[in-house]
Amino acid sequence: MSARRGLEGQVAVVTGAARGVGELLARKLSARGAKIALVGLEPEELKRVSERLPTDSAYWHADVTDAEAMARVAEEVVERFGAVDIVCANAGVAQAGPFLDTDETAWRRVIEVNLLGSATTVRAFLPALTASRGYLLQIASLAAIAPAPMMTAYCASKSGVEAFAHSLRAEVGHRGVRVGVGYLSWTDTDMVRGADRDEVMRELRQRLPWPAGRTYPLGPAVDRLVAGIERRSAHVYAQWWLRGMQSMRGYLPAFIHAVGRREMRRAEPRLAATREARGGLVGEGGAADEKARTADTAGTEGTARTAGTVGTEGHR
């Protein structure tokens, strides 16, 4: 196991920083002395987070899928702080429901934000990470290890970012850049609470074998992520048991198929009855993403495509 490195004076970029994992990650990194660059779609929430951090911080209102905006953010972060030592590619959205019942636009958006948005983030910040011989933590999920029914877009996107990070690690390691993958099970965030509003999804999850079916507190999960960042770890497990799941990956598809077939057959009548109520992205973060895209389509100042970056006065 690698020794922990102090974070005092390090510059950390956190995407999806307005709430949930991203917000708490920014707070805990700041508490350890890191300077924080917050990136997300909710400027008021980002401002609130920034103002409460004990170290130097600033926030940027940007859509991680917008290559021009993220390139501009990366330039401004380096200009503002002088360097980038850590990037946490955390921004993500989710959708729940059977594949054929899901809204296609929302399904594609999950892939765009979680997978393509992560790649866009890395493309923008990799030059700065190379200069500092820094560390990228790509947030993945148990969904990458054990893809499950009712989550096709989310599982595909998280499997994709896991593979992306592993490939990138081998590509940039000789330049001194370390790349880690963070795995989380069901953690108490607005995304998970939003998914639980779907009665069938909630019941399917509760019927999963222990310990996969429970919801875990956010604080200890983020503490594990921070410890992984301090160690520049290749794999970071937000719940203790996820490490053991890696050794079982070869057996999981057959197990999930058997259990999923049984549970989906049981749930099918209720799925049909609730098909019309099944909407787009889940949770407050999903709602913020849909609001930003609607505003952008209407030509208003909804995303970084039209608004540019904001909040660069930061907090000192």
Side-chain angles (χ1 to χ4, degrees), residues 53-137:
L53 296 181
T55 55
D56 190 8
S57 68
Y59 64 96
W60 280 262
H61 176 203
D63 184 334
V64 295
T65 69
D66 186 328
E68 290 186 7
M70 291 304 292
R72 185 167 61 248
V73 169
E75 290 177 2
E76 292 181 6
V77 170
V78 172
E79 181 179 354
R80 170 70 165 76
F81 293 104
V84 172
D85 303 290
I86 300 160
V87 172
C88 302
N90 166 75
V93 293
Q95 183 190 49
F99 175 66
L100 286 180
D101 292 350
T102 54
D103 175 76
E104 184 174 359
T105 299
W107 196 97
R108 287 178 177 272
R109 183 61 179 171
V110 174
I111 303 296
E112 289 171 357
V113 174
N114 298 1
L115 176 54
L116 301 182
S118 290
T120 298
T121 298
V122 173
R123 189 180 296 277
F125 283 98
L126 189 56
L129 286 178
T130 302
S132 67
R133 300 176 69 86
Y135 177 70
L136 164 70
L137 178 64

Side-chain angles (χ1 to χ4, degrees), residues 10-313:
Q10 297 272 291
V11 178
V13 177
V14 182
T15 66
R19 60 182 69 252
V21 171
E23 176 187 358
L24 190 54
L25 189 55
R27 286 167 49 193
K28 288 181 178 289
L29 291 172
S30 180
R32 286 161 173 77
K35 304 172 186 178
I36 309 296
L38 308 161
V39 182
L41 285 177
E42 300 173 82
E44 292 303 318
E45 292 300 314
L46 293 170
K47 180 181 179 181
R48 174 186 61 81
V49 175
S50 179
E51 289 175 344
R52 295 179 180 180
L53 296 181
T55 55
D56 190 8
S57 68
Y59 64 96
W60 280 262
H61 176 203
D63 184 334
V64 295
T65 69
D66 186 328
E68 290 186 7
M70 291 304 292
R72 185 167 61 248
V73 169
E75 290 177 2
E76 292 181 6
V77 170
V78 172
E79 181 179 354
R80 170 70 165 76
F81 293 104
V84 172
D85 303 290
I86 300 160
V87 172
C88 302
N90 166 75
V93 293
Q95 183 190 49
F99 175 66
L100 286 180
D101 292 350
T102 54
D103 175 76
E104 184 174 359
T105 299
W107 196 97
R108 287 178 177 272
R109 183 61 179 171
V110 174
I111 303 296
E112 289 171 357
V113 174
N114 298 1
L115 176 54
L116 301 182
S118 290
T120 298
T121 298
V122 173
R123 189 180 296 277
F125 283 98
L126 189 56
L129 286 178
T130 302
S132 67
R133 300 176 69 86
Y135 177 70
L136 164 70
L137 178 64
Q138 172 62 62
I139 299 298
S141 169
L142 171 62
I145 301 173
M150 300 275 286
M151 301 169 55
T152 53
Y154 191 76
C155 291
S157 67
K158 290 303 183 179
S159 295
V161 294
E162 180 193 41
F164 168 68
H166 288 328
S167 179
L168 186 69
R169 181 187 301 122
E171 186 175 315
V172 300
H174 71 286
R175 298 181 179 178
V177 179
R178 304 286 293 274
V179 178
V181 182
Y183 298 90
L184 294 92
S185 182
W186 302 92
T187 304
D188 188 20
T189 63
D190 74 85
M191 179 188 291
V192 170
R193 291 190 292 270
D196 276 350
R197 294 191 184 103
D198 186 303
E199 179 183 346
V200 177
M201 184 70 183
R202 182 175 66 251
E203 182 177 316
L204 286 173
R205 185 165 74 83
Q206 291 171 345
R207 293 172 65 86
L208 290 172
W210 184 90
R214 62 167 292 196
T215 298
Y216 292 86
L218 181 60
V222 174
D223 284 337
R224 286 176 172 266
L225 296 179
V226 172
I229 292 170
E230 290 175 324
R231 294 189 178 99
R232 303 298 198 262
S233 298
H235 301 86
V236 186
Y237 300 98
Q239 286 81 30
W240 62 269
W241 54 272
L242 288 173
R243 184 185 301 273
M245 294 291 287
Q246 293 282 22
S247 63
M248 301 172 57
R249 290 183 79 146
Y251 304 98
L252 290 175
F255 174 77
I256 293 168
H257 170 68
V259 174
R261 182 171 58 179
R262 182 192 69 205
E263 295 299 332
M264 293 301 292
R265 183 182 294 116
R266 185 199 306 268
E268 192 165 18
R270 281 183 298 150
L271 287 170
T274 58
R275 181 173 293 120
E276 295 302 321
R278 195 159 287 113
L281 304 177
V282 302
E284 294 179 25
D289 185 272
E290 291 180 336
K291 179 180 178 181
R293 284 184 291 123
T294 300
D296 186 47
T297 301
T300 62
E301 294 187 355
T303 71
R305 294 184 181 92
T306 54
T309 55
V310 300
T312 52
E313 74 280 359

